[in-house]
Amino acid sequence: MDIDVYSDEEVPKALSITNEPAAVIAEPRGYVDEKSIESFYELTAYDTALRELTKEFYRQIAVTYVKIATYIGVRQLPLEDLTAWVKASKNYGLELTNAIPLLYNPWIRQLARDLYSLAPTEFKRLAGPIGLRKAAEGAGPQLAAFLKTHYEIDLRRRLMLLYPRKASTPAETHEKAVKALAEALRKSFTYASRDAARRLLESGAALEWRAYIEALTEALKNSLTSEK
């Protein structure tokens, strides 16, 4: 397992290594049945191997400590604290549409970033990254329930582990989930920006950002439930 750790999550983006901020990039390096494997995405072709590797990886990150050089000296940190961004990516773009998530930690914040990249461009700027994160926090149970319909989920407080389902092709299942998420977001933003905004204005209330995010949160809950 090759793990690149950056001092700031904006560094790999500035260096054009990724399209999104990433504090950590992890990729497997090795062989399966004598076939060279250089990414999690390639590994998804081997369902059994992937499942066993991810389970072993999760076990190891909880007990393995690594030394990290910092401006205050060398520190020893659990690997679990460093794998804040681990994805099964076809390339280092780390975009939601071509990356199969394996681990989110903290899961709400990182999933909110993926949702923001997936949201309609004409709407998402109204909420901004912070607003969408608040909406994701409010719709946390619905998001977890939605993901459970597409992946096998192990949720441990801030940490979410995702396993591809045995009876499906991981890439196809992921693409289906992404399309459903995109549709749920489109419905949610359309409602908050049109129907909810009109009701507020007609009632004489001011269209404040907080009220908009509250409407977006409720719409996201309903949309995720209908998209399952």
Side-chain angles (χ1 to χ4, degrees):
M1 178 70 66
D2 290 342
I3 298 179
D4 297 329
V5 182
Y6 299 93
S7 58
D8 187 282
E9 62 185 11
E10 293 291 339
V11 170
K13 184 178 180 181
L15 296 175
S16 299
I17 297 173
T18 70
N19 294 332
E20 296 292 333
V24 176
I25 298 176
E27 291 284 9
R29 296 287 186 271
Y31 293 85
V32 175
D33 297 332
E34 299 184 355
K35 175 178 173 57
S36 176
I37 298 295
E38 296 186 356
S39 72
F40 278 116
Y41 195 87
E42 292 178 358
L43 195 58
T44 59
Y46 301 89
D47 290 349
T48 301
L50 173 64
R51 189 169 302 278
E52 292 307 312
L53 180 137
T54 51
K55 287 182 178 178
E56 178 60 26
F57 177 61
Y58 296 152
R59 284 193 290 267
Q60 290 295 326
I61 65 174
V63 298
T64 302
Y65 282 74
V66 293
K67 292 182 179 179
I68 301 296
T70 72
Y71 68 95
I72 58 174
V74 177
R75 298 179 60 196
Q76 194 173 43
L77 298 172
L79 189 57
E80 186 175 22
D81 289 350
L82 301 177
T83 53
W85 193 288
V86 179
K87 287 198 169 185
S89 182
K90 189 175 182 179
N91 54 50
Y92 283 110
L94 292 177
E95 295 175 336
L96 183 62
T97 51
N98 68 7
I100 301 173
L102 294 177
L103 179 153
Y104 282 124
N105 184 25
W107 76 273
I108 284 287
R109 186 177 71 183
Q110 291 193 347
L111 183 56
R113 285 179 180 168
D114 279 343
L115 293 177
Y116 187 78
S117 68
L118 193 62
T121 303
E122 63 273 22
F123 288 141
K124 66 182 180 182
R125 292 176 182 173
L126 296 173
I130 295 177
L132 191 50
R133 184 191 302 178
K134 288 182 177 296
E137 289 172 351
Q142 288 77 17
L143 276 169
F146 171 85
L147 291 173
K148 284 180 181 178
T149 65
H150 294 85
Y151 309 94
E152 293 182 17
I153 302 296
D154 187 356
L155 187 58
R156 309 174 186 175
R157 286 188 172 183
R158 289 158 48 94
L159 175 67
M160 176 182 282
L161 313 177
L162 299 94
Y163 301 93
R165 291 189 177 277
K166 295 179 181 179
S168 64
T169 302
E172 292 178 356
T173 301
H174 175 65
E175 289 176 3
K176 182 179 178 181
V178 168
K179 289 180 180 179
L181 277 173
E183 180 61 17
L185 285 167
R186 186 193 65 79
K187 290 180 179 178
S188 302
F189 274 104
T190 299
Y191 173 81
S193 304
R194 187 181 59 192
D195 298 340
R198 184 176 63 249
R199 290 194 183 96
L200 280 172
L201 293 174
E202 288 176 349
S203 68
L207 184 57
E208 297 179 349
W209 183 78
R210 180 181 297 179
Y212 177 76
I213 299 304
E214 289 177 354
L216 178 63
T217 302
E218 290 305 312
L220 186 58
K221 291 179 181 179
N222 295 331
S223 296
L224 288 169
T225 301
S226 63
E227 289 292 337
K228 285 194 302 181

